[in-house]
Amino acid sequence: MMGKQARVARISILILAAGFGKRMRGADKLLMEVGGVPLLRRQAEEALAACRDVVVTLPAGAGARVAALEGLSVTRVAVADAGEGMAASIRAGIGALPEDAVAVMIVPGDMPELGRREFETLCGAFDPAEPCVIRGTDAGGAPGHPVLFPRRDFAALRAIEGDRGAREVLASAPCVVGVALPGRAALTDLDTPEAWASWREGREGGGS
């Protein structure tokens, strides 16, 4: 469960789902089924279970992705300049956060091993009185996702450009706290058909 401070603070989750997934060769990685539902819907449901404010960025005209989110109380944000890269998605998402959000957890949409438990773990590590960036790592300490940024970084996140995401903001943070998540949850992103096939094989074979 979340720590006491995380429950008091208003932390939002931003799911980045405006990418085009060109490496999937025609398939949409965010609509691949995980547990019988499209990955994007699963991620949104898991985020809502951990946090009351969830923002999802989407490319313009993404009808199938919009349909996957039907009935969920998430804020959907169309990213007109999604072709620029991840920065455009982050800028749009930060602009849609509630005014009283004290932090935002940025979650790539293509990481199927992240869920409520991992989101709550990061939220529980955030201290509004000492607002460090909180970054998920694998069990061995290798840095990955999600990354939780305190409110003081929102302006910088709204100013980023290109496809490097929030790397510069992360690099300039005065303090970054790594939080270990189970197995390789913080590192497992699936953006090719081969990656999906290997991941499914590992799960069916008892792997993580």
Side-chain angles (χ1 to χ4, degrees), residues 10 12 94 97-104 126 128 131-132 148-158:
R10 188 161 189 173
S12 298
I94 296 298
L97 295 179
E99 292 185 359
D100 58 348
V102 301
V104 60
F126 179 71
C132 290
L148 189 154
F149 291 94
R151 185 175 186 83
R152 66 153 182 265
D153 291 325
F154 286 8
L157 290 169
R158 284 194 294 266

Side-chain angles (χ1 to χ4, degrees), residues 7 17 29 35-36 39 43 47 60 62 78 118 149 162 175 187 189 193 198 202:
R7 285 187 177 278
K29 60 184 177 181
L39 172 60
Q43 299 304 79
E118 290 73 30
F149 291 94
C175 57
L187 304 179
D189 63 330
S198 177

Side-chain angles (χ1 to χ4, degrees), residues 19-146:
F20 296 105
K22 295 178 180 178
R23 296 178 65 194
M24 285 294 293
R25 301 194 292 277
D28 189 337
K29 60 184 177 181
L30 298 183
L31 299 180
M32 301 289 281
E33 288 197 354
V34 176
V37 299
L39 172 60
L40 179 57
R41 185 176 185 88
R42 175 200 178 275
Q43 299 304 79
E45 290 175 339
E46 292 291 305
L48 286 168
C51 177
R52 62 178 174 172
D53 299 312
V54 177
V55 175
V56 181
T57 58
L58 299 161
R65 293 185 187 179
V66 171
L69 296 170
E70 184 177 358
L72 298 181
S73 298
V74 300
T75 299
R76 300 191 297 269
V77 179
V79 183
D81 52 350
E84 176 191 336
M86 191 180 298
S89 190
I90 293 174
R91 290 196 307 265
I94 296 298
L97 295 179
E99 292 185 359
D100 58 348
V102 301
V104 60
M105 186 189 310
I106 298 179
V107 181
D110 61 352
M111 301 187 70
E113 293 187 8
L114 295 178
R116 175 178 180 172
R117 176 175 58 172
E118 290 73 30
F119 301 151
E120 289 185 343
T121 295
L122 260 67
C123 285
F126 179 71
D127 183 354
E130 299 179 11
C132 290
V133 171
I134 309 296
R135 185 171 194 180
T137 75
D138 75 354
H145 298 278

